[in-house]
Amino acid sequence: MRYITLLIALLLVFTSCEDVIDVDLNDEDPRLIVDALIRIDTTQQLTAANIKVSLSSSFFGEIQPAEVESMFIQKAEESGFVPYEPVPGEPGVYRPFATTVSPVADNKIVTSWLTSDSEYLIFVTYQDQDYFARTTFAPSVPIDTVEQGDGELFDPDDKEVTIAFTDIPDDDNYYVIDLDFNEYLPTEDRFYQGQQFEFSYFYDSDDTPLNPGDTIDISILGADEQFYDYMNGLLEQSQQGENGPFQTPTATVRGNFLNITDIDNIDQFDNLNRPDAFILGYFSLSQEFSASLVIEE
């Protein structure tokens, strides 16, 4: 009987030591997210330029699609512009549509309209607030080689892929490498300017199980320094998580969108007087070169 009494006493002691800890996750009101990363294949006459809009959520919440009142892209020195409309059956996804003055066909932008010597502006209206971002065309380079390697890093089941490309000479360049499966690598040419750069990337066998016959699609996107810094910030927060860097971040990563409501001169507007008046996301026009690799073993 005394053993039963002792057991009960021990259970009471351990039970009394359990405390409930409330963690303050610092939830904030949902913010609009505009994913306006436009990839440009300059070998094609038309460029798919859909834009996704959604709402940020709490720490444990899921991103929800959003609706905006209006959205359009304009070339800075021209009066013509590209208006956007919702894609039927795809909540939160918007596509270009043609007007008498817009360079659009088949809900795609005419690629020749996106030139390297021009500045482009995007305007978004959401809940009676006007937002704006600007960017320029960011050139990229073709992929020289993409091959499967046989090296090991931490796990012998991980798959090594070697990628090589040659940097654009005589300029400071930035790139964002899309390694498929929501995995990205920003890189700058500080140590390989004008030269061929080759590196290995290892696909974790637990996060990205690859089998013989599977295909990996790899792309190199042009970037400017601001977009390069933005992607680095997203990757640091997401740690290449399950949903990649475009999941809802645990802290706010500022993109290049500004609130221009009631502002009459966007060239002199820097958002300093209202630091909380912003939305999330990024607007970029990135030239893209792609290559595919079939896993052999």
Side-chain angles (χ1 to χ4, degrees):
M1 183 68 179
R2 65 177 182 178
Y3 294 111
I4 296 176
T5 303
L6 179 59
L7 177 60
I8 293 174
L10 288 172
L11 287 174
L12 289 174
V13 169
F14 283 115
T15 302
S16 64
C17 291
E18 294 180 357
D19 294 323
V20 176
I21 300 175
D22 294 324
V23 178
D24 184 6
L25 297 177
N26 297 321
D27 289 345
E28 61 175 19
D29 292 334
R31 291 188 186 271
L32 186 70
I33 305 171
V34 180
D35 179 2
L37 168 55
I38 297 176
R39 304 175 182 227
I40 305 164
D41 181 351
T42 52
T43 67
Q44 302 296 315
Q45 293 184 344
L46 300 177
T47 294
N50 286 4
I51 293 174
K52 184 177 181 180
V53 295
S54 54
L55 290 176
S56 65
S57 65
S58 63
F59 188 87
F60 293 110
E62 295 183 356
I63 291 178
Q64 297 297 324
E67 295 182 5
V68 298
E69 283 95 275
S70 68
M71 178 163 54
F72 64 92
I73 294 175
Q74 181 179 359
K75 186 181 286 190
E77 66 272 20
E78 295 182 1
S79 58
F81 63 94
V82 175
Y84 273 73
E85 66 180 1
V87 176
E90 297 186 43
V93 181
Y94 287 75
R95 66 186 182 189
F97 69 91
T99 68
T100 56
V101 295
S102 63
V104 176
D106 298 329
N107 295 116
K108 297 181 180 180
I109 294 177
V110 177
T111 302
S112 59
W113 188 69
L114 304 169
T115 57
S116 58
D117 57 351
S118 298
E119 183 180 56
Y120 294 85
L121 319 174
I122 186 172
F123 296 87
V124 179
T125 300
Y126 174 69
Q127 293 185 345
D128 297 324
Q129 297 291 298
D130 298 320
Y131 300 93
F132 152 87
R134 54 161 49 103
T135 193
T136 55
F137 176 92
S140 185
V141 293
I143 297 174
D144 295 337
T145 59
V146 54
E147 300 174 341
Q148 183 175 348
D150 55 7
E152 295 182 7
L153 189 59
F154 299 113
D155 189 328
D157 292 328
D158 293 348
K159 294 293 189 294
E160 180 193 23
V161 172
T162 61
I163 303 163
F165 63 91
T166 301
D167 177 55
I168 302 171
D170 304 323
D171 202 358
D172 295 330
N173 297 292
Y174 301 86
Y175 307 97
V176 174
I177 302 174
D178 182 347
L179 295 152
D180 210 349
F181 313 108
N182 284 315
E183 300 187 38
Y184 296 83
L185 176 66
T187 179
E188 58 176 319
D189 68 353
R190 180 183 306 178
F191 300 110
Y192 55 86
Q193 192 171 70
Q195 304 175 26
Q196 187 182 69
F197 176 55
E198 181 174 309
F199 66 96
S200 288
Y201 187 83
F202 291 84
Y203 292 85
D204 189 293
S205 58
D206 294 327
D207 296 334
T208 310
L210 293 170
N211 301 306
D214 290 346
T215 299
I216 301 174
D217 297 316
I218 296 173
S219 300
I220 298 182
L221 308 176
D224 57 18
E225 185 174 6
Q226 186 179 10
F227 184 41
Y228 166 84
D229 290 338
Y230 174 75
M231 288 300 297
N232 269 326
L234 285 182
L235 290 169
E236 286 175 4
Q237 287 201 359
S238 68
Q239 296 296 310
Q240 294 292 80
E242 178 181 354
N243 297 316
F246 297 107
Q247 63 188 336
T248 299
T250 55
T252 299
V253 178
R254 294 282 294 270
N256 58 348
F257 280 90
L258 300 173
N259 189 317
I260 59 169
T261 307
D262 300 326
I263 299 297
D264 57 7
N265 188 348
I266 59 176
D267 290 328
Q268 297 181 6
F269 179 56
D270 58 15
N271 214 48
L272 291 177
N273 292 328
R274 39 182 174 178
D276 294 327
F278 66 92
I279 57 177
L280 301 176
Y282 206 91
F283 172 48
S284 71
L285 299 174
S286 298
Q287 186 179 25
E288 177 184 43
F289 289 93
S290 300
S292 297
L293 173 69
V294 177
I295 296 298
E296 295 180 354
E297 59 180 28

